[in-house]
Amino acid sequence: QVQLVESGGGSVQAGGSLNVSCVASGYTYCMGWFRQAPGKEREGVVILWTVSGAAQYADAVKGRFTISQDNAKNTLFLHMNSLKPEDTAQYYCAADYDKCGHWSPSAFSYWGQGTQVTVSS
């Protein structure tokens, strides 16, 4: 069982930047960030193969969000720039131990509690 603990997030005006981070308690093969806005389904933002460092970004955030990791600290970071009001959502860290590359939330075995990101216009 891997526990994921997110931190960061907060409120910012459109065009601003925020960072969120996620600490994993154990080994992960794949990590990712998902988000869920009120009344909407949870959607993938970025997926990272933790060993290779390869990442896939959702079209909505390409060029604005960047994922990075500190392997020594089992920590995942999401750097969010040029934020838009439509980026407002609860952001969740997710992980799995043996598969990657799937955007469906059901493909991830472990989830954090979520952290709120609010972007005002």
Side-chain angles (χ1 to χ4, degrees):
Q1 188 78 7
V2 174
Q3 294 186 342
L4 304 174
V5 180
E6 299 117 331
S7 60
S11 298
V12 68
Q13 289 191 329
S17 300
L18 282 174
N19 298 318
V20 290
S21 61
C22 173
V23 179
S25 65
Y27 169 78
T28 61
Y29 175 70
C30 182
M31 295 188 77
W33 288 99
F34 285 73
R35 65 186 183 186
Q36 188 167 19
K40 294 188 176 182
E41 294 186 352
R42 190 168 298 190
E43 63 175 5
V45 176
V46 57
I47 297 170
L48 176 77
W49 282 258
T50 59
V51 174
S52 70
Q56 286 184 348
Y57 292 87
D59 288 342
V61 306
K62 279 181 182 177
R64 300 188 299 120
F65 290 14
T66 303
I67 194 170
S68 64
Q69 61 177 335
D70 182 337
N71 287 336
K73 297 181 179 180
N74 282 350
T75 303
L76 187 71
F77 303 96
L78 182 65
H79 311 280
M80 302 178 287
N81 298 316
S82 302
L83 283 161
K84 304 175 182 180
E86 51 264 44
D87 294 318
T88 296
Q90 188 83 349
Y91 281 69
Y92 295 91
C93 177
D96 200 78
Y97 52 88
D98 68 350
K99 56 185 179 298
C100 206
H102 306 279
W103 288 104
S104 172
S106 64
F108 289 81
S109 300
Y110 309 114
W111 290 87
Q113 79 285 357
T115 185
Q116 180 68 33
V117 170
T118 303
V119 184
S120 58
S121 57

